Amino acid sequence: MNLMEKIDKIKELRNCNAIKAILMCIVVLYHSMAVYMGNWGPYEPAKNSTFLMYIAKWFNTFHIYGFTLISGYIFYYIKYEGGGYKKYFPFIGKKAKRLIVPYIFIAAVWVIPVYAYFYGIEDIVNKFVLGTSPNQLWFLLMLFWVFAIFWLISDLTDRKPILGGIIVCGLYCLGVVAPSFYCLNSGLQYILFFYIGFMIRKLDLGNKILYKIPSLVYLLIDILLFIGIELIGSHEELIIKIVVLGLSVVLHIIGAVGAFVLLQRFVNRFLQENKVVGFFSKHSMVIYLVHQQLIYFSIGWFNGVVPPVVLVLINFIFSLTVSTIFSILMSKTKVTRFLVGSK
């Protein structure tokens, strides 16, 4: 199959669930090696690894941005092709069940107790009750804000995409200075990536533009930008900081779009009707909700006992396995599915 061959919109949409599952696995892998970035988790690495540090940093430039892009893509399909999401308050209620309920439940029974075990209780109110830095659960609050805000401008954006884009850019700038309570700042910034996904579906940008670009071009531009930002990012001059901020936005956009295109090609070629991917598509969100704290424990057990690459593999396999078992157990009843936001 020619990797620059068109992917029709039906296949493109169907591939999105598999892509979201892959991106969630990349998040777990990123957290499995994030200890080598420094200042992550309750432990410092017994042995540093520059290679793993940069791989983790690179993953962090596209994984959640790509996931948010796909959420915008699917939103357009449901609202404007499928006739859903017509009324705002029922829509918000549905998203609260899917995002806010699991935030409260997982924070209360898992994330806060583990945080208190490792760090004490001093910052719990600020981090979790006020939602300023609630570990991996920030993603739920961010995505809720994205849905809640973008719905309000979605009809305008559908009619006048350029005006919608200007508004979205304004919201991004507002997010840079907005308070971090309940991750409002992140929500305002991530609307940009949601908008890009929205426009990809609306205008069929995949077949018109994106799939005409070779995969290697996406990778080269992304990696060169990443290296450039790393080289100049430590400078303290104001102009350099502004340049780095702008380049970082470009890097996240290219990373998110590149992830969408490359994973569309990958899924389309290798993972059609793959049962393993289908399984993880069903459980990926709950896996995400609980995996990070499991990694804290595996680092504590094996840090300094095994080489860095082996520790990353242990972290990944252990956290993925245990969180998958948890997800399966929580899928057994209507009440537990409700608590973790599963359908």
Side-chain angles (χ1 to χ4, degrees):
M1 175 183 170
N2 180 2
L3 290 185
M4 294 177 67
E5 181 181 331
K6 285 189 174 183
I7 301 173
D8 67 61
K9 293 180 77 173
I10 296 174
K11 286 184 178 179
E12 191 177 67
L13 179 67
R14 187 171 63 234
N15 292 342
C16 283
N17 283 334
I19 294 172
K20 288 197 295 183
I22 293 170
L23 287 172
M24 282 299 183
C25 286
I26 291 175
V27 171
V28 177
L29 182 58
Y30 157 71
H31 282 144
S32 296
M33 61 181 67
V35 64
Y36 295 103
M37 294 170 58
N39 195 31
W40 185 91
Y43 299 103
E44 293 297 322
K47 184 178 180 181
N48 291 324
S49 172
T50 302
F51 172 75
L52 291 173
M53 175 189 72
Y54 282 117
I55 292 296
K57 284 187 174 183
W58 181 64
F59 281 158
N60 201 33
T61 65
F62 70 85
H63 50 40
I64 297 298
Y65 301 96
F67 188 95
T68 308
L69 181 151
I70 290 173
S71 296
Y73 178 99
I74 295 172
F75 176 90
Y76 182 87
Y77 167 75
I78 293 175
K79 192 172 193 295
Y80 295 100
E81 296 177 31
Y85 297 164
K86 290 300 184 184
K87 295 183 178 180
Y88 184 65
F89 289 107
F91 168 73
I92 288 298
K94 182 177 180 180
K95 293 305 174 184
K97 290 178 182 178
R98 291 274 288 163
L99 299 169
I100 303 304
V101 170
Y103 176 90
I104 295 169
F105 174 70
I106 297 296
V109 304
W110 175 241
V111 177
I112 290 175
V114 175
Y115 181 90
Y117 173 80
F118 284 109
Y119 296 102
I121 64 172
E122 183 177 349
D123 292 328
I124 285 176
V125 171
N126 184 51
K127 286 180 176 291
F128 299 100
V129 178
L130 299 179
T132 60
S133 182
N135 290 176
Q136 74 272 24
L137 300 184
W138 75 274
F139 173 73
L140 300 178
L141 298 179
M142 175 277 288
L143 200 56
F144 180 80
W145 283 116
V146 169
F147 279 121
I149 296 170
F150 190 84
W151 191 100
L152 298 173
I153 62 170
S154 58
D155 287 344
L156 173 64
T157 303
D158 185 48
R159 293 193 309 271
K160 299 180 179 180
I162 295 176
L163 177 58
I166 293 171
I167 294 171
V168 166
C169 290
L171 292 172
Y172 184 95
C173 294
L174 181 61
V176 173
V177 297
S180 61
F181 295 116
Y182 304 110
C183 298
L184 174 62
N185 56 338
S186 297
L188 290 167
Q189 293 177 66
Y190 274 78
I191 289 173
L192 171 62
F193 304 94
F194 193 90
Y195 165 82
I196 293 170
F198 182 95
M199 297 308 300
I200 288 174
R201 181 70 189 188
K202 173 179 171 59
L203 302 177
D204 193 19
L205 294 180
N207 286 306
K208 290 181 179 177
I209 300 173
L210 302 178
Y211 298 139
K212 295 180 180 179
I213 301 171
S215 298
L216 186 60
V217 172
Y218 285 107
L219 286 171
L220 284 176
I221 294 174
D222 187 83
I223 291 171
L224 288 174
L225 261 176
F226 174 73
I227 292 172
I229 291 170
E230 287 296 316
L231 289 174
I232 67 174
S234 60
H235 291 261
E236 295 298 323
E237 296 89 340
L238 178 60
I239 187 65
I240 298 296
K241 288 185 174 182
I242 294 173
V243 169
V244 168
L245 180 62
L247 288 177
S248 295
V249 176
V250 175
L251 174 62
H252 297 323
I253 292 172
I254 291 174
V257 173
F260 177 81
V261 172
L262 270 62
L263 290 174
Q264 279 285 349
R265 289 170 173 163
F266 180 76
V267 170
N268 210 53
R269 187 174 190 188
F270 299 109
L271 298 179
Q272 289 295 315
E273 308 300 330
N274 185 283
K275 292 183 179 179
V276 174
V277 174
F279 172 83
F280 280 106
S281 296
K282 179 181 178 182
H283 295 286
S284 61
M285 180 58 80
V286 181
I287 290 170
Y288 174 84
L289 294 179
V290 299
H291 77 278
Q292 183 169 320
Q293 289 67 35
L294 293 166
I295 292 171
Y296 293 169
F297 288 107
S298 60
I299 291 173
W301 298 330
F302 295 102
N303 188 25
V305 178
V306 297
V309 172
V310 176
L311 178 60
V312 170
L313 289 174
I314 291 172
N315 291 342
F316 180 75
I317 294 170
F318 172 70
S319 61
L320 189 63
T321 301
V322 176
S323 56
T324 300
I325 293 170
F326 174 78
S327 179
I328 292 170
L329 293 174
M330 296 299 285
S331 70
K332 296 299 183 181
T333 71
K334 185 176 180 180
V335 173
T336 52
R337 288 196 299 272
F338 170 77
L339 291 173
V340 296
S342 296
K343 293 180 180 179

